[in-house]
Amino acid sequence: MRRFAELYFAIDGSTKTNDKVAALSKYLREAPPADAAWAVFFLRGGKLPAPVPSRLLAEMAAESADVPPWLFAECYEAVGDLAETASLLLAASPDRRTEETLDQFITARLIPLRSMDKTEQRKFLIESWSLLSAKERFVWNKLITGSFRVGVSEGLVAKAVAAATGLAVNVVAHRLAGAWRPSAVAWEALANKDATDAHPGQPYPFSLAHPLDSEPQALGNLDDWVIEYKWDGIRAQVIKRQGEVFLWSRGGERLTDSFPEIVAQFAALPDGTVIDGELIAWKDAVLPFADLQHRIARKNPGKKLLDSTPARIFAFDLLEWQGQDVRSHNLDRRRELLHALPLHFSPVLQPKDWEHAAELRLGARDLLAEGLMLKRRNSPYGVGRERGVWWKWKLQPYSVDAVLVNAQRGSGRRASLFTDYTFALWDNDKLVPFAKAYSGLTDGEIRDVDAFIRHNTLEKFGPVCAVKPELVFEIAFEGIQRSNRHKSGIAVRFPRMARWRTDKSAADADTIDSVKALLPETIKP
Amino acid sequence: MREAGLYCPGGDFYIDPWKPVDRAVITHAHADHARAGSLNYLCATACAPILRARLGQEIAIQALDYGNSLTIGTVKISLHPAGHILGSAQVKVDSNGYAWVVSGDYKLDPDPTNQPFEPVRCNGFVTEATFALPIFRWPSSAETFAEINAWWQQNRDDKRASVLYGYSLGKAQRLIAGVDASIGPIYTHGAVERMNEIYRQSGVPLPPTVYAMEAATKDFSGALIVAPPGMNGSAWLRRFGNFSNAMASGWMQVRGHRRRRAIDRGFVLSDHADWPGLLSAIEQTGADQVWVTHGSIAPLLRWLNEKGIAATGLQTQFSGEDANPAEPEESDAA
């Protein structure tokens, strides 16, 4: 556990990728195999079901540190992180050193917590805290509340594993793809130099697109590119091997049980077929993303949901065919093989020139697509985010000017600053909240807005401050839908602050009606 | 309280006023406590040269040694070490047998660059509350300096410079006095170097430092550079080549504060009292009435009131150790 806490702070303490890779690969070389497996699991964002809810942890930590609940709440507001607050308050108890490994902490302390009642948990937790230093306690608290997170990408983990084992990065990435279960055996299989990759459900790492940052004309000849819509669904890989179908999301989530209609369709494919595509909800046209989320949340969906919200895969690439990895074939060849299969395909657009392509892109919004994808015809299927092969050419976001009305303190690196804002639009002479946004301002702007909020708070509702409606921000967002759950009657996707409109006053902000006018025709009631 | 600050009618003076007044008693020379424009200043002897350097050589200063008292109007006033920075003082005011102490900023932890905090018995105590939450418990300064030294040494071995941020007055000198100067040369920002000079003249031993602009070398790998926090991210740093940066402050106890600044390391070292320090200082005064200023006022008030100590909040314009510090004069001219 000590070594893992040191690893956490080494990674957390550096802003440089090379330092992080070096720290992790050193850990992986030195730690026992089971610990290495857990480290890979957690650093790739793996989560165990949290045995102790945050609220209960707060309660137990406050009690153990002899701090009244109101003071704990004050401390939490200053720190912005529950696990950290608890570890700082507990720091008064004497430190003891333990040699217990990460694996022992997980298997003998964390997992058993789940089946305990509150009294036992309390006893168990206080004992575990007493074994750890303040820093170790912090990491431990993160693990038991299921909030462990550290600033590394999956790619960085794969790189570190490769450095620690001497394997090629793409081999590691492939072995790690999908639902990788941590154990000593799993680590040894991952690190094994001559293992043949055996599990039939093993997906390939996804090829990712770069946002287009220049005029498309700079990409050269239009004929070198395959052009498709960029669908607002979930990137997915479907595998048919050894008589079984596996459906994976790009996030490594196994979705097979939520989409029986897709499993049935792909069951008809020959073994040794792997396709890449977009998972979408579809009924004569693409359904809003929220409908798809509904489907994902429900395993073994009933007939009613299957009828109201059917899903399909828009296939656009072929990774394995007749049991052979075909990723090194160029895109044209892969698509030729793909289009011979009985599947739904993402339609290939045939613009006359780049100007025409730009027009098609503007039309994407009416189809609930996010823009266009541009893929180089003569390219192999890339691993990760290779530049120049796949581009995403997204629509310009919508934008409106809205008034800051509520604010809340942030967490993590923005702890104690007011960084979480609610924005409102005019409905006649009333301001109606329509979106929350957290990102888009510079640190300097955040400080200025924070100072404004401190001096202009009208009322407090728990952590939320009602702010004098004075500051205006340009809010950008991607999509818009009707919503009965929101007072404004609309819900927007990915809202963020595009600019602080210091040149505008609250009266200049937009109206809710002007935003409702942006609702796509297809889903107007 | 008056518009210009904390006022003593019996002696017709203000303590750390934020507007120009006739007579200002200054607890210490940090900018939020010592402002220019008053006609007469009273401060501790060790504070006087710093005050002149910051507010101008021509200002009228009366210096008072720690422990000596002076009668002004109907009150008796004396200054006592606050342990915050060189020359920092608690102001004790005796009026008709009722003793007040205005502590300014203070800390209880040992610091070789100034006299240790002296508990002063009184009836009414005005305390700061910069770090008045139980999450703030300082590690021993020995522990922190061991970490700083290890970081510096590692950087030296990796052929990097080490840039360490701390307030130019007080923190910087405490850092310079506390590090292991055998690791490598120490360079400074102009604002720091000016204060170093005054500390040395006042008899505070500091290892040799060189104003960075007058360095005889262009190779700073292995060196320690001490600069004000406002220099983080500035072009001034370019001359040091490859470097690792770190900040020494009580706020570094909280991860979010360090991460927000995108610095490599945060060392917990404060010139303010931590939670146990505040509580112990308050208890040692024996005061039956406590006023709480700048920082986490509300939690400390509630805590004291729940413990049966009468405590009231006092709105001031002091900022303590700011979570987002910027010093007023950070020009690099030494």
Side-chain angles (χ1 to χ4, degrees):
Chain A
M1 192 67 196
R2 183 190 315 167
R3 206 189 313 223
F4 185 63
E6 280 167 11
L7 169 67
Y8 175 86
F9 285 99
I11 291 176
D12 187 58
S14 176
T15 48
K16 298 173 185 83
T17 306
N18 284 347
D19 292 353
K20 294 181 184 187
V21 172
L24 179 54
S25 68
K26 178 166 178 283
Y27 176 90
L28 295 174
R29 273 195 304 272
E30 294 170 357
D35 282 20
W38 283 115
V40 167
F41 175 76
F42 288 123
L43 265 55
R44 291 179 75 241
K47 296 247 184 286
L48 293 174
V52 183
S54 307
R55 189 183 39 77
L56 192 58
L57 181 99
E59 216 175 275
M60 291 177 182
E63 192 185 299
S64 174
D66 206 13
V67 165
W70 67 264
L71 188 52
F72 188 93
E74 291 276 0
C75 291
Y76 172 69
E77 203 172 320
V79 173
D81 181 306
L82 190 96
E84 188 183 358
T85 309
S87 70
L88 288 172
L89 287 171
L90 290 163
S93 64
D95 288 348
R96 266 197 276 159
R97 300 303 260 163
T98 174
E99 294 305 318
E100 268 183 55
T101 64
L102 175 62
D103 181 51
Q104 284 167 322
F105 262 88
I106 301 296
T107 52
R109 294 187 182 277
L110 192 150
I111 293 172
L113 269 175
R114 248 183 269 164
S115 44
M116 289 180 187
D117 65 27
K118 223 172 124 175
T119 326
E120 279 179 297
Q121 282 190 334
R122 187 176 309 241
K123 211 173 120 238
F124 220 63
L125 269 184
I126 291 173
E127 191 205 320
S128 69
W129 283 330
S130 75
L131 295 171
L132 300 170
S133 72
K135 286 185 164 186
E136 291 160 356
R137 262 196 304 256
F138 169 72
V139 173
W140 177 233
N141 287 346
K142 287 270 172 198
L143 291 176
I144 52 187
T145 52
S147 57
F148 183 87
R149 232 187 105 250
V150 65
V152 296
S153 64
E154 286 185 36
L156 189 146
V157 175
K159 236 177 170 175
V161 172
T165 57
L167 291 164
V169 179
N170 61 355
V171 171
V172 173
H174 192 184
R175 286 181 184 181
L176 279 173
W180 189 78
R181 302 236 167 266
S183 68
V185 174
W187 168 258
E188 270 147 14
L190 175 62
N192 192 337
K193 289 227 189 262
D194 43 39
T196 47
D197 293 306
H199 185 265
Q202 192 70 32
Y204 291 93
F206 284 84
S207 169
L208 304 177
H210 269 276
L212 186 65
D213 44 14
S214 63
E215 290 301 312
Q217 282 79 1
L219 300 180
N221 193 345
L222 182 71
D223 296 339
D224 292 343
W225 298 87
V226 173
I227 300 178
E228 304 162 325
Y229 285 116
K230 182 181 187 320
W231 299 105
D232 186 16
I234 288 200
R235 184 77 181 281
Q237 203 173 116
V238 197
I239 296 165
K240 168 74 193 309
R241 289 186 194 128
Q242 300 178 22
E244 235 188 305
V245 174
F246 305 86
L247 173 59
W248 296 100
S249 76
R250 176 160 98 67
E253 209 181 335
R254 192 165 173 265
L255 302 175
T256 319
D257 299 334
S258 298
F259 296 95
E261 70 268 60
I262 292 173
V263 172
Q265 184 190 18
F266 279 79
L269 297 186
D271 277 337
T273 306
V274 179
I275 72 100
D276 183 4
E278 191 83 1
L279 172 62
I280 46 171
W282 171 279
K283 201 170 192 176
D284 305 321
V286 177
L287 298 175
F289 186 75
D291 292 351
L292 181 63
Q293 275 175 317
H294 235 69
R295 282 293 310 269
I296 289 167
R298 182 74 67 84
K299 285 202 170 136
N300 307 313
K303 188 173 178 307
K304 208 173 141 206
L305 184 60
L306 283 173
D307 284 344
S308 69
T309 318
R312 61 170 58 173
I313 292 279
F314 267 170
F316 51 64
D317 215 321
L318 184 69
L319 312 187
E320 187 175 302
W321 177 239
Q322 295 177 335
Q324 298 297 313
D325 179 351
V326 294
R327 291 178 297 166
S328 56
H329 293 354
N330 68 36
L331 179 58
D332 270 342
R333 174 71 185 136
R334 297 198 309 273
R335 296 187 70 102
E336 197 183 309
L337 292 170
L338 177 73
H339 280 259
L341 299 174
L343 297 172
H344 303 289
F345 302 104
S346 182
V348 174
L349 307 179
Q350 313 267 2
K352 301 191 297 283
D353 49 35
W354 285 116
E355 284 71 30
H356 186 202
E359 272 169 45
L360 291 171
R361 166 172 164 268
L362 291 179
R365 190 166 269 152
D366 294 335
L367 302 171
L368 294 194
E370 298 177 309
L372 299 183
M373 289 296 304
L374 313 173
K375 297 174 182 172
R376 193 179 280 281
R377 284 186 189 279
N378 63 0
S379 64
Y381 188 87
V383 173
R385 216 177 281 277
E386 274 176 37
R387 220 183 139 75
V389 182
W390 286 16
W391 297 103
K392 46 185 172 189
W393 187 19
K394 290 177 69 162
L395 282 164
Q396 296 299 331
Y398 296 102
S399 84
V400 291
D401 293 332
V403 187
L404 172 68
V405 289
N406 291 331
Q408 207 171 337
R409 291 174 196 256
S411 57
R413 73 182 279 269
R414 322 167 91 193
S416 84
L417 286 176
F418 285 99
T419 56
D420 300 359
Y421 311 130
T422 304
F423 296 95
L425 296 167
W426 291 108
D427 186 5
N428 295 319
D429 55 352
K430 273 203 323 261
L431 279 168
V432 180
F434 96 106
K436 286 185 176 210
Y438 316 91
S439 61
L441 297 185
T442 66
D443 284 358
E445 285 171 331
I446 289 177
R447 275 201 292 275
D448 292 345
V449 176
D450 177 74
F452 172 85
I453 292 164
R454 280 170 204 281
H455 293 113
N456 293 281
T457 295
L458 302 173
E459 225 179 321
K460 268 186 118 172
F461 312 97
V464 179
C465 292
V467 181
K468 195 169 164 193
E470 202 172 296
L471 303 188
V472 178
F473 293 81
E474 182 180 328
I475 306 299
F477 54 92
E478 297 297 330
I480 176 166
Q481 266 176 252
R482 280 190 189 278
S483 161
N484 298 325
R485 291 193 306 121
H486 296 81
K487 224 193 226 168
S488 59
I490 49 171
V492 295
R493 221 153 118 61
F494 299 131
R496 69 249 178 211
M497 289 164 273
R499 247 185 323 157
W500 182 358
R501 297 298 304 252
T502 47
D503 55 325
K504 292 201 170 187
S505 67
D508 303 328
D510 285 311
T511 65
I512 201 94
D513 286 340
S514 67
V515 177
K516 280 185 179 161
L518 301 172
L519 282 163
E521 296 295 328
T522 46
I523 52 170
K524 266 191 190 163
Chain B
M1 287 296 292
R2 285 194 177 178
E3 209 194 331
L6 195 55
Y7 178 68
C8 171
D12 187 26
F13 60 79
Y14 287 83
I15 299 174
D16 295 349
W18 41 85
K19 287 191 171 162
V21 298
D22 285 347
R23 186 185 273 277
V25 178
I26 299 297
T27 61
H28 65 284
H30 276 151
D32 56 327
H33 290 260
R35 295 176 202 245
S38 290
L39 291 179
N40 296 285
Y41 290 90
L42 175 71
C43 66
T45 308
C47 177
I50 309 174
L51 205 58
R52 282 193 202 285
R54 295 208 139 193
L55 302 187
Q57 294 300 328
E58 70 291 350
I59 59 170
I61 298 187
Q62 181 176 11
L64 189 62
D65 283 346
Y66 289 132
N68 288 354
S69 60
L70 189 70
T71 301
I72 306 178
T74 62
V75 302
K76 199 172 86 180
I77 183 172
S78 58
L79 302 177
H80 306 268
H84 178 55
I85 60 167
L86 182 63
S88 66
Q90 309 176 71
V91 181
K92 183 182 180 191
V93 179
D94 268 304
S95 169
N96 303 321
Y98 189 92
W100 287 87
V101 169
V102 178
S103 61
D105 291 336
Y106 64 93
K107 72 168 176 288
L108 280 66
D109 289 352
D111 174 352
T113 65
N114 61 58
Q115 288 205 40
F117 176 84
E118 176 193 309
V120 183
R121 301 288 294 181
C122 58
N123 307 95
F125 185 59
V126 180
T127 183
E128 57 140 323
T130 309
F131 291 109
L133 284 173
I135 48 171
F136 296 111
R137 290 164 203 274
W138 307 148
S140 76
S141 52
E143 233 172 285
T144 301
F145 277 110
E147 281 182 30
I148 296 175
N149 288 335
W151 165 75
W152 182 10
Q153 205 144 11
Q154 183 64 51
N155 291 334
R156 185 194 62 184
D157 296 347
D158 295 345
K159 308 237 178 316
R160 278 194 291 216
S162 303
V163 177
L164 183 55
Y165 305 117
Y167 271 143
S168 58
L169 166 57
K171 181 70 63 62
Q173 290 71 36
R174 187 179 177 197
L175 288 170
I176 290 165
V179 294
D180 177 1
S182 71
I183 297 173
I186 304 175
Y187 294 94
T188 55
H189 181 271
V192 172
E193 194 58 33
R194 281 198 295 278
M195 293 303 137
N196 286 357
E197 256 343 286
I198 299 178
Y199 268 59
R200 288 192 183 100
Q201 282 161 14
S202 305
V204 178
L206 294 178
T209 55
V210 178
Y211 170 40
M213 295 296 168
E214 289 167 0
T217 173
K218 285 200 162 140
D219 176 16
F220 289 92
S221 61
L224 178 71
I225 294 117
V226 180
M231 289 297 110
N232 189 18
S234 73
W236 184 80
L237 295 169
R238 270 188 223 138
R239 73 196 77 234
F240 303 116
N242 187 13
F243 66 82
S244 170
N245 58 4
M247 166 104 179
S249 159
W251 294 109
M252 296 297 110
Q253 184 89 293
V254 177
R255 244 172 104 245
H257 285 288
R258 175 178 62 69
R259 292 201 300 166
R260 190 151 67 219
R261 250 177 233 117
I263 44 174
D264 297 324
R265 292 290 298 269
F267 299 113
V268 182
L269 189 77
S270 179
D271 289 329
H272 294 263
D274 59 1
W275 174 257
L278 290 167
L279 298 184
S280 127
I282 292 168
E283 199 192 326
Q284 288 181 66
T285 63
D288 41 35
Q289 173 69 53
V290 177
W291 276 265
V292 180
T293 79
H294 62 296
S296 298
I297 300 179
L300 185 56
L301 284 182
R302 182 160 173 191
W303 177 271
L304 292 172
N305 285 326
E306 284 185 4
K307 298 281 166 210
I309 298 167
T312 320
L314 198 59
Q315 281 303 327
T316 61
Q317 293 186 11
F318 309 135
S319 54
E321 184 170 350
D322 205 317
N324 302 300
E327 289 183 86
E329 73 277 41
E330 268 166 12
S331 80
D332 184 38

